[in-house]
Amino acid sequence: MASIQVAMRCRPFVGPGDLGVELRQTGDGPAGGEVNILNSNYTQTRYGFAYAWWSAHNHSKYAEKDKHIAADMKFISQDMAYEACGLKIKEDLLSGSAVVMFAYGLSGSGKTFTVFGPDAADSLDAWFKHATPNDTWGILPRLAYSVFNEKTDEWKVTIKYFQNVVDTVRDLTSPSASEQQYKAGMRKDQDGFMDIDWCGKVVVNSWDELRTMFQQCNARKAISPTQFNHQSTRGHCVMTLEVEKPDADAPSMKRRGRLYVCDLAGTEPAGDIFYAEYKKVPQDDGSNEYQLVGPHSNQAKTKELQDQGKKINLSLSEMAQFFMKMAAAFKKGQLKAGATIPGCNSYFLCKYLKDTMMQAKTYLFCAIRPETKFHQYTYATLGFANNASVIKLDPKKATAAASELERKLMKELDEMRELVAQLRKQIFEGGGGGDAKETVAAAEQVASLQRSMTVKIQEIQQEADPSAAAAAVAYEKQKAHLQARGITLSSEVEDVSKLNTPYLINLDEDPFRSGRMLCILEKTPTSFGRDKNDVRPQSMSMVTDHCFFDGSGAKRSIKGGNGAAFVNGQMIKLGKTQELNDGDRVIIGSELYVFRVPGSTAETDEDAAFEEYRVALLSNSEYKSQFKQAASGLRVGGKSMSLDKKSAEQLEEEMMALYPKAAEVENLCTMLDREYIDTSVVLQSTKVTSASKEDAKVTVKVVNRNANPVETIYLPAFEFNRAYKILSDELYHLRDAISAEEHYMVPFQHDPLMLLFDSTFHVGTAVLFPEYLIYNLETDDSERLCEVFPAAASGNQNMDAGKLDVVWEPLPGPEGATGPVLDIIDETDLLGKPWTYRCRIKQALQLPMICDLCYCEYEFFDGYGYNTFATETVDVSSRPTRSPVLEYEYEHHVEYVTEEFLAWLKKPLEIKIFISLDVKRPDQLAGTDNQKVVDLIRADMKLPAQRVKTAQGADAALAEAMERIQSLQDKVEALMGENEKVKKANKRLVMQRRGALAGAMEA
């Protein structure tokens, strides 16, 4: 058994502040490192981990208290961190073990630095910009550099690298911006490890290839500036490094080691985040320093970050629950090899990693900040790590037999090597006076054999992993489809700046999709639009003869056509022409491009370009009247809610951006045989009883009229945009397949029903009145069931949306304190005294829709600030219900009651209920074997009608079968978890009966 190895590392100071932590390495073993919390009132201040690394090199400049402690701690460099555990990780990897490395902590705390080093694509000091070892390299670059130095031709090294952004997975290695719903293609491989089979597995043959790949991938990550970090990763990044090599003890076998590097999103509470504005200050050494200016003026950006942050927090909370359950199972002796932990299957992170972790060697790298002002985050990180540190697992090694063809190819490769060695010997001897012609001939034969050896190595690699070849075929097909529409993937052009023809390159606020597509303006004139036009972008906003580009040499002009087009924010009217300059921003329909000429040197201010894009679309929107109608109907607690001018302008801008997309999605749903789905953009208040202008929120209302009862959900803008992009991609995959007369089926996870309805959303809010808690009274049975008001648009909260069973129980004190509960006669008796209650949320009852996931969330005020609390997400997918059981409890303790706390208890307390619907698989998926879908798309493309082939392709049938198998496996696991709960309940009943029987016998 091997313990989870925890390394706690403290980053440098970011400014003046009191020292809040002390880290010392006092020995070896699971508790060889010691972390102490300084200058705090926490009850637990000492923690033991395998490693405790102090790396705040600038303490002498910034530490304002306990300077002597800071000076006495040993500084741990990147090299020392690698020596401590990186060498062991490399040894485990090459021996065929599975190893998981987690980077966990607050954004900007240095977790990524420990694992990778500087990794921003635009950083001059990024680790992948150094060909040889550098002081700033983290554990992974040092390990990979060493592996490639040892690699021989028989070794195969592959990489998968993707980012989980809320409910999607993005393949960062994909040249064509491939992303799918996170459940798509997630299944166990032949070794029992979870895999995402559609993500590309890239064969990497050298260290330089790895560096180049990472530079490209990191430029595609979803990042945003927050107050914690100017480049905060907005999702979990997972990289899998797999090394396959011959087993020295058994030549016919291969050892397959794999390293999972999980760089998790920041752990800060979503409510604490704001979208930040930074000032870039050039430094003398050529680098840039980013100085925080403050929150961005566009509050919509902050709201979107906070919505994303809530989903990130939930996935991290589930991972924390997983560690807690593993720790409990280990302490009870129930953590056996091959065992699984029931539950913890609701979000990507646990669903993907939990079974892998049960059979891998795991290293948890946690990062904390040195200042006392970050204590609340430091304490949370220490608690998470403390649960992990007690767990011991039984890792396994993976081996595989080489196939007959592999053995044959490897034998041929050995024969080639032997012949090369003989020829080189002949050349060497010929240099001493032999026949010059024979020497030249031998040299040519060596070169030819070396080329053949390279091909042979590629054949061996493809035989060992046919999925890589399949991915290459899929990419070539997609490339051909795009070229047929006049679009070139930028990855196909070695150096875009060296093109000798003007071109347009796409610009997107999402860096994952930005800069991927080129429209090379070779033909003059070049028409943009649909049907028979030269360039047909992947957007429903295009119309036939949308616009035209003309000119010669490096000169081009744009001529207005039948669709909306703008240059630098100015509309190009029908028949009007405007000359284009290098760097001009061009909007065609809803697509944004930058115009480039050969040898382009123009710089693009992307933020300004996106703002210009929004203003241009807003000024020409046909939906302005709809916003006024939505704003006038916004009500809270039965009263109208007014918006000031600034708030109204920001909300209007958000809604204007969504109105055309909502209309497009309805059209997309119709084309994909889901015409019963309706979408509309609405304003909501996030609170029921009282709200301010900050609580007004833009959402997209989605209705499934085919469900009984009718299902209605409200999606935040970022989730709706994600679904919109994937649905657009799927429609164009179908259009391309129909044009090429190929078979294609939309995966179930990308069906409109799944994309729009398989998402956790706010279904309603329970309201309770906690004033009685001032007097240390328990919740009366008659008041346990709190009414739930629906989370409806425009304050329409008259419909009953169920009940929530909530009980508050007074306690004599925190952490198991005994004795009587204090009697409170007058509220002033409580001032200055401690207050402790246990909150129990047992069950939601008769919710308006059947759900397969559920959790609750509420804010608690402790007299000094608000903190958000959430129940564990319960998975009831094995038995979907309208009344999910939550069984949540939490002890709230206030050390010193204030007037502010009493005032808060006199206000209504809102508990929000979030659910995910039980989405039923439709009778027929959208695809080229769905006659209705084919008819609609062919009619839209002005193609003649055509009967579909009734038989599905073998690949599609297999894919559908695998999806069903995975779904069944998930249900089996959920039932196993439910069975465990039933066993425990039965055990408790048996013990109670025995106790009652013993009592009766004594009586």
Side-chain angles (χ1 to χ4, degrees), residues 526-597:
T526 300
S527 63
F528 275 62
R530 302 185 68 184
D531 306 326
K532 302 298 183 182
N533 287 124
D534 302 314
V535 181
R536 302 183 296 282
Q538 198 164 297
S539 171
M540 296 289 288
S541 64
M542 295 292 158
V543 297
T544 302
D545 294 338
H546 199 104
C547 62
F548 305 86
F549 290 82
D550 205 350
S552 60
K555 298 283 187 181
R556 289 293 183 277
S557 61
I558 182 173
K559 181 180 178 181
N562 296 328
F566 302 81
V567 175
N568 300 332
Q570 300 300 312
M571 177 175 270
I572 308 300
K573 295 182 179 179
L574 176 65
K576 297 296 181 182
T577 300
Q578 180 171 326
E579 292 290 328
L580 293 173
N581 298 309
D582 186 28
D584 279 351
R585 284 86 56 204
V586 181
I587 301 172
I588 304 174
S590 59
E591 304 298 303
L592 174 60
Y593 300 93
V594 176
F595 174 71
R596 298 290 189 193
V597 300

Side-chain angles (χ1 to χ4, degrees), residues 2 18 115 125 153 246 254 279 281 286 337 360 379 391 397 430 477 480 516 566 598 658 669 758 885 911 926 941:
D18 290 346
V115 174
D125 203 31
D153 288 341
K254 301 175 293 183
K279 180 181 178 182
V281 181
Y379 192 69
I391 301 165
K397 295 185 179 182
K477 184 183 290 187
R516 298 295 192 108
F566 302 81
L658 286 171
C669 289
D758 187 34
V885 176
I911 303 178
M941 296 170 68

